[in-house]
């Protein structure tokens, strides 16, 4: 039995590692999928606050606070592993897979600044969202801008 499990495990490992053509065609597929999934989650949470700000959804202080906390915590995550150098849209095989521009990894890249601004904006939102609709509305503009300002430079349309 133990032998069988070992053999089965080995076969699985081989099947997943011995596919050089695949790995070459789509390098960093998992990392790219991870970061895009991360941003989909961010977008979902932003959507809830956006709907409240626009009056498309009733303001609910408790929910707004919970969602703002999600965004603050998301921005604080260390996702460095999802952003390996070379996983940009100009890399071989990645033009249809990612919208990350190579400039992210350039020597003069200020993506760290953009990220810092985003963290700051999510912190302000977390202090504001539960304090009334006006406070939420004041915080959402700068927060949205912090997304856009990074996308403008580092994400293809
Ligand atoms: C520091 C830079 C930066 C910040 C800040 C940022 N993004 Fe992004 N975002 C990116 C990059 C780069 C990509 C492209 C990722 C890829 O395709 O590999 C991206 C992709 C996305 C995507 C597409 C995900 C997919 O399925 O392909 C969405 C949606 C998104 N971001 C929403 C947001 C929202 C909403 C905010 C703010 C609350 C935000 N982003 C803040 C850099 C940023």
């Amino acid at each position: 039995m133990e032998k069988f499990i070992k053999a089965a495990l080995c076969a699985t490992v081989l099947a997943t590692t011995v596919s050089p053509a695949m790995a070459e065609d789509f390098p960093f597929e998992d990392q790219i999928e991870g970061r895009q999934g991360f941003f989909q989650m961010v977008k979902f949470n932003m959507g809830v606050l956006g709907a409240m700000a626009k009056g498309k959804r009733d303001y609910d202080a408790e929910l707004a606070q919970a969602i703002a906390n999600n965004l603050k915590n998301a921005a604080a995550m260390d996702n460095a592993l999802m952003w390996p150098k070379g996983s940009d849209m100009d890399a071989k095989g990645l033009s249809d897979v990612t919208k990350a521009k190579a400039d992210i990894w350039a020597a003069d890249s200020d993506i760290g600044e953009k990220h810092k601004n985003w963290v700051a904006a999510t912190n302000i939102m977390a202090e504001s969202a539960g304090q009334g609709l006006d406070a939420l509305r004041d915080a959402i503009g700068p927060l949205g801008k912090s997304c856009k300002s990074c996308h403008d430079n580092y994400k293809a349309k």
Side-chain angles (χ1 to χ4, degrees):
M1 186 60 189
E2 206 186 15
K3 248 188 198 157
F4 170 75
I5 291 172
K6 257 191 201 157
L9 275 176
C10 281
T12 312
V13 170
L14 279 178
T16 50
T17 53
V18 182
S19 47
M22 192 59 188
E24 202 175 294
D25 288 350
F26 301 104
F28 307 127
E29 212 185 353
D30 291 348
Q31 291 90 334
I32 291 168
E33 207 175 271
R35 70 202 188 199
Q36 291 176 343
F38 169 82
F39 277 126
Q40 285 298 329
M41 174 276 290
V42 165
K43 177 185 168 191
F44 176 85
N45 282 277
M46 268 300 271
V48 176
L49 296 184
M52 284 186 195
K54 287 183 191 147
K56 289 184 178 164
R57 174 175 194 138
D58 288 344
Y59 175 72
D60 172 338
E62 206 174 311
L63 178 64
Q65 185 64 60
I67 294 286
N69 290 345
N70 287 348
L71 286 167
K72 177 182 165 174
N73 291 332
M77 277 177 72
D78 183 342
N79 286 330
L81 213 56
M82 291 176 177
W83 299 92
K85 190 172 162 66
S87 64
D88 58 85
M89 57 188 291
D90 297 332
K92 186 170 171 274
L94 293 187
S95 59
D96 294 335
V97 181
T98 178
K99 292 195 166 160
K101 291 189 183 171
D103 287 350
I104 290 173
W105 294 272
D108 62 348
S109 171
D110 72 341
I111 192 152
E113 273 310 300
K114 305 282 187 202
H115 183 261
K116 253 191 221 162
N117 294 341
W118 181 43
V119 169
T122 60
N123 284 339
I124 292 171
M125 178 55 90
E127 286 161 15
S128 313
Q131 308 301 315
L133 185 54
D134 284 343
L136 186 157
R137 283 185 171 144
D138 285 346
I140 203 150
L143 177 51
K145 268 193 200 134
S146 74
C147 312
K148 188 176 180 297
S149 144
C150 189
H151 289 176
D152 283 349
N153 287 15
Y154 298 113
K155 176 180 169 290
K157 292 257 171 329

